[in-house]
Amino acid sequence: ETGVTQSPTHLIKTRGQQVTLRCSSQSGHNTVSWYQQALGQGPQFIFQYYREEENGRGNFPPRFSGLQFPNYSSELNVNALELDDSALYLCASRPATTDTQYFGPGTRLTVL
Amino acid sequence: AQKITQTQPGMFVQEKEAVTLDCTYDTSDQSYGLFWYKQPSSGEMIFLIYQGSYDEQNATEGRYSLNFQKARKSANLVISASQLGDSAMYFCAMREGRPGLSGNTPLVFGKGTRLSVIA
């Protein structure tokens, strides 16, 4: 039990739509990262937030955006969905005292 | 070049036997961290074990141990006394540089190894 939760579990959208995925982590986990995992691949880093500011980004276009809130929850927003956005989206949080990121169960997004 | 290489797409092991999952990494940083995660079919990434680049002892966590060979840049995961519940995807990952409190600490993952434990 990592204490990291994500919602929804599954989501189906059509191309061009917008989607918001949510993550809630434990108290004290000031850093949250989002990853995209395509089928058969390892997770790819999207971006990271620390104390509500984005402080790192992977090779993803600006239509992938995020927010982090003071209550240790965060959001991943994807605009203008494309078929290739179909993937498992994983949220991971890290407490300040360790180097380890703890993952939530993920949201499986299907874009039709 | 791949930062993390896992050369075994799939592995089979008999229940109660030990198994080694291979991982090699590529970095020019002196400070880095190496992680192994287990991903069952449900999708959640479960943290198993961590090795810091300055740690002199190999990390161990219960039935999991990490065979860290710094000069060879390898960080193999050893699972002893395999159980049916160990069947899953296993990912090796690396964090480069010092994380600090607010450091940008993305994990770079390999492509994974699917482990199947046979009764």
Side-chain angles (χ1 to χ4, degrees):
Chain A
E1 184 63 45
T2 66
V4 182
T5 60
Q6 292 187 243
S7 62
T9 306
H10 295 86
L11 201 53
I12 298 175
K13 292 284 189 179
T14 56
R15 196 168 48 180
Q17 285 189 310
Q18 179 265 342
V19 68
T20 297
L21 311 182
R22 293 181 172 84
C23 171
S24 179
S25 53
Q26 290 187 51
S27 174
H29 286 213
N30 293 322
T31 301
V32 65
S33 303
W34 285 88
Y35 293 82
Q36 179 196 68
Q37 186 179 18
L39 201 60
Q41 302 293 319
Q44 298 285 319
F45 173 68
I46 302 175
F47 47 58
Q48 175 182 289
Y49 278 77
Y50 174 73
R51 293 191 172 177
E52 303 153 53
E53 299 273 341
E54 183 181 305
N55 73 339
R57 190 174 186 92
N59 189 25
F60 280 81
R63 59 189 186 85
F64 285 79
S65 64
L67 287 171
Q68 186 187 22
F69 303 100
N71 65 351
Y72 303 104
S73 66
S74 64
E75 290 180 354
L76 164 65
N77 299 289
V78 187
N79 293 323
L81 283 167
E82 300 177 359
L83 297 179
D84 285 349
D85 296 334
S86 294
L88 180 68
Y89 288 85
L90 294 160
C91 162
S93 68
R94 180 173 74 87
T97 53
T98 79
D99 196 10
T100 300
Q101 295 187 29
Y102 295 93
F103 285 80
T107 293
R108 196 166 296 278
L109 173 65
T110 302
V111 182
L112 302 176
Chain B
Q2 292 282 341
K3 293 265 186 181
I4 296 287
T5 302
Q6 296 181 252
T7 57
Q8 307 152 314
M11 290 280 287
F12 290 88
V13 64
Q14 202 76 32
E15 197 178 7
K16 300 180 185 176
E17 297 291 311
V19 63
T20 298
L21 306 184
D22 294 342
C23 172
T24 58
Y25 59 92
D26 182 25
T27 182
S28 56
D29 283 347
Q30 295 301 308
S31 176
Y32 52 89
L34 297 159
F35 303 79
W36 278 91
Y37 286 88
K38 171 184 177 182
Q39 188 176 43
S41 56
S42 60
E44 183 172 3
M45 298 287 281
I46 301 168
F47 166 70
L48 295 178
I49 197 166
Y50 163 79
Q51 180 86 40
S53 57
Y54 295 116
D55 294 340
E56 295 184 353
Q57 303 274 357
N58 285 343
T60 60
E61 289 285 350
R63 294 187 298 111
Y64 305 107
S65 60
L66 199 153
N67 184 359
F68 181 44
Q69 298 189 40
K70 196 169 183 176
R72 298 178 63 181
K73 294 189 174 179
S74 76
N76 298 339
L77 176 70
V78 180
I79 306 174
S80 62
S82 296
Q83 301 171 356
L84 295 178
D86 294 336
S87 294
M89 284 292 291
Y90 288 80
F91 289 94
C92 179
M94 176 173 65
R95 182 270 305 149
E96 293 180 278
R98 292 187 175 278
L101 288 177
S102 63
N104 180 4
T105 56
L107 293 177
V108 177
F109 286 83
K111 293 189 174 182
T113 295
R114 180 170 298 281
L115 178 66
S116 299
V117 181
I118 305 166

